[in-house]
Amino acid sequence: MAFTTTMLSWSVIEFGGLMKGELQHAKEAIRWATDYLLKATVHPDTIYVQVGEANQDHACWERPEDMDTPRSVFKIDRNTPGSDVAAETAAALAAASVVFRRSDPTYSKLLVRRAIRVFQFADRYRGAYSNGLRKYVCPFYCSYSGYQDELLWGAAWLHKATRNPTFLSYIQVNGQTLGADDSDNTFGWDNKHVGARILLSKAFLLQRVQSLHDYKGHADNFICSLIPGTPFSQAQYTPGGLLFKMSDSNMQYVTSTSFLLVTYAKYLTSAHKVVNCGGTIITPKRLRVIAKKQVDYLLGDNPLKMSYMVGYGPRYPQRIHHRGSSLPSIAKHPAKIQCSAGFNIMHSQSPNPNILVGAVVGGPDQHDRFPDQRSDFEQSEPSTYTNAPLVGALTYLAHSFGQL
């Protein structure tokens, strides 16, 4: 949820000026999340990070209105640290503070003050939240990449939000040990290294912060990893051209990468710079072309002619892995549907009665196949962290094609 908020905020920071009537909707969505994150961080050195027992909730297929599984609350604190979730929460609060800086300065100041406090807690009491809370948060949202990436990412956002030299010196002192130049080129809710590199390169490219010079190189390395045919190319693509990182919710990497491509292209254009991949010059225009191809695939320009955004285009997923979408509404079926009674519908072939318009699902496999089965959560489950970065990418593309 925190990563969703950070990415929705970054979308507004970079492209909000192009959003027209949708800007207000984006800001309302961000505030809905930050209001919650503020409540979850009221007590110093404590964050309430999860409500509900994941295993018991997953054992039911029921509507949110019918839920009666335990609402247990789990927290991190000095004794059970969670630098990963804490630093991501700090990033979300800091990024959102930039969004509201002009339109609601009082709220913005509250967000940034809380972000600083939460980041200090993340940094002082180090540890992964899925160590202390393992049986509650794993295997669903285990922190596989550790917490170093979140500390770098959180510091990068606080540097942007506060312009306080403390955070710049933190990044200078700790950047290397926190993995600034690791070659992990996957950006998503668990690993933020690439996002931090792109964000910090902006401070070098646009604000001329010379001490962040290396982050342009780190960001370029990520870009070069994506470009087929260059010496540093690592990325895999499906035969139809979709970036393919992993079989579980692959589309989250497509949307996050597309966002980073159009965002980095913006920075490069402003600074009159390009990317050099072992002698091959990659222009900002090329980055935008790659991003557009990924988003076009997502929206239906693919071998199956299937839009992976629900409710968009003539053909889209009918049986998404989403309880509220798949079960009849309270209006149609007022009587309670018990915990396990919904599994009959879950395993059925009938299309979902409630269309979750705009939701982006996990997407096709590495051979461009998509079974459209509700039980196939790897391919058919939507998530907020898949949609959030797409907001920025779509804003840029819609604007550049004269649709906004």
Side-chain angles (χ1 to χ4, degrees):
M1 181 174 168
F3 179 68
T4 295
T5 311
T6 311
M7 292 310 296
L8 203 50
S9 297
W10 199 1
S11 291
V12 169
I13 290 164
E14 298 297 347
F15 303 110
L18 311 176
M19 286 182 180
K20 305 281 175 71
E22 289 300 319
L23 178 60
Q24 203 46 42
H25 295 147
K27 287 167 89 168
E28 282 167 16
I30 293 165
R31 190 187 286 258
W32 185 92
T34 48
D35 281 350
Y36 183 92
L37 296 174
L38 285 169
K39 292 172 191 169
T41 54
V42 164
H43 302 128
D45 294 343
T46 304
I47 308 182
Y48 298 93
V49 296
Q50 181 170 300
V51 179
E53 309 249 4
N55 285 300
Q56 285 177 261
D57 285 351
H58 279 79
C60 294
W61 194 263
E62 59 187 343
R63 303 176 292 194
E65 298 91 339
D66 290 337
M67 285 177 77
D68 50 14
T69 46
R71 297 294 87 202
S72 312
V73 178
F74 302 99
K75 67 176 180 178
I76 55 167
D77 54 25
R78 296 175 187 187
N79 301 319
T80 312
S83 305
D84 33 27
V85 69
E88 183 61 61
T89 302
L93 295 166
S97 78
V98 180
V99 169
F100 294 107
R101 193 180 274 159
R102 285 203 185 90
S103 58
D104 193 339
T106 309
Y107 189 63
S108 175
K109 287 191 183 82
L110 170 65
L111 292 171
V112 81
R113 281 197 302 269
R114 186 67 56 82
I116 292 167
R117 193 176 86 188
V118 169
F119 182 79
Q120 287 167 341
F121 162 59
D123 189 42
R124 192 173 298 140
Y125 301 97
R126 292 196 181 189
Y129 92 128
S130 51
N131 289 352
L133 297 176
R134 177 164 294 277
K135 64 180 182 192
Y136 308 111
V137 303
C138 295
F140 307 101
Y141 289 102
C142 250
S143 185
Y144 296 104
S145 69
Y147 58 78
Q148 287 81 2
D149 56 300
E150 277 87 7
L151 288 174
L152 183 63
W153 170 245
W157 275 109
L158 278 159
H159 169 245
K160 180 165 180 60
T162 64
R163 306 185 180 113
N164 183 326
T166 318
F167 293 106
L168 183 57
S169 62
Y170 178 93
I171 292 160
Q172 287 162 334
V173 172
N174 299 292
Q176 292 304 104
T177 50
L178 295 177
D181 58 0
D182 286 9
S183 58
D184 47 352
N185 290 317
T186 302
F187 180 51
W189 66 263
D190 186 30
N191 192 334
K192 322 293 161 37
H193 275 138
V194 172
R197 287 172 202 137
I198 299 276
L199 183 63
L200 290 169
S201 73
K202 181 184 192 178
F204 167 68
L205 287 166
L206 276 65
Q207 282 101 40
R208 306 274 190 271
V209 181
Q210 287 304 321
S211 61
L212 295 175
H213 169 273
D214 288 355
Y215 286 88
K216 159 82 164 65
H218 299 331
D220 287 354
N221 289 342
F222 165 65
I223 297 299
C224 296
S225 79
L226 294 170
I227 314 275
T230 64
F232 310 108
S233 177
Q234 288 177 343
Q236 288 181 290
Y237 292 86
T238 67
L242 185 70
L243 176 68
F244 196 83
K245 283 282 182 186
M246 53 190 76
S247 56
D248 189 355
S249 299
N250 178 62
M251 208 57 96
Q252 67 173 304
Y253 306 110
V254 175
T255 61
S256 63
T257 301
S258 298
F259 174 84
L260 292 180
L261 285 166
V262 295
T263 300
Y264 198 48
K266 179 186 166 188
Y267 303 163
L268 291 169
T269 300
S270 300
H272 306 291
K273 292 278 193 289
V274 294
V275 177
N276 186 337
C277 297
T280 307
I281 299 299
I282 306 297
T283 62
K285 184 180 180 186
R286 176 91 185 268
L287 303 189
R288 294 183 181 114
V289 167
I290 296 168
K292 180 179 182 291
K293 181 164 187 188
Q294 295 303 304
V295 175
D296 284 347
Y297 184 113
L298 186 155
L299 293 174
D301 186 6
N302 57 57
L304 293 183
K305 297 289 176 269
M306 164 79 80
S307 158
Y308 292 101
M309 180 185 281
V310 177
Y312 178 82
R315 188 172 183 219
Y316 53 83
Q318 299 296 313
R319 290 176 283 277
I320 68 169
H321 183 92
H322 185 283
R323 288 159 175 78
S325 170
S326 68
L327 294 161
S329 67
I330 298 287
K332 293 261 168 38
H333 189 293
K336 178 168 177 157
I337 298 172
Q338 297 291 344
C339 164
S340 53
F343 280 104
N344 290 335
I345 289 176
M346 197 269 217
H347 294 299
S348 78
Q349 291 298 310
S350 54
N352 288 8
N354 311 307
I355 297 176
L356 189 61
V357 175
V360 176
V361 297
D365 67 12
Q366 71 247 50
H367 305 291
D368 301 297
R369 296 175 303 209
F370 182 74
D372 198 9
Q373 291 295 339
R374 208 175 281 111
S375 58
D376 180 4
F377 61 86
E378 293 191 336
Q379 292 184 246
S380 292
E381 187 170 20
S383 68
T384 57
Y385 49 82
T386 302
N387 270 67
L390 185 59
V391 172
L394 281 173
T395 303
Y396 172 77
L397 290 168
H399 168 78
S400 65
F401 287 89
Q403 294 169 358
L404 275 177

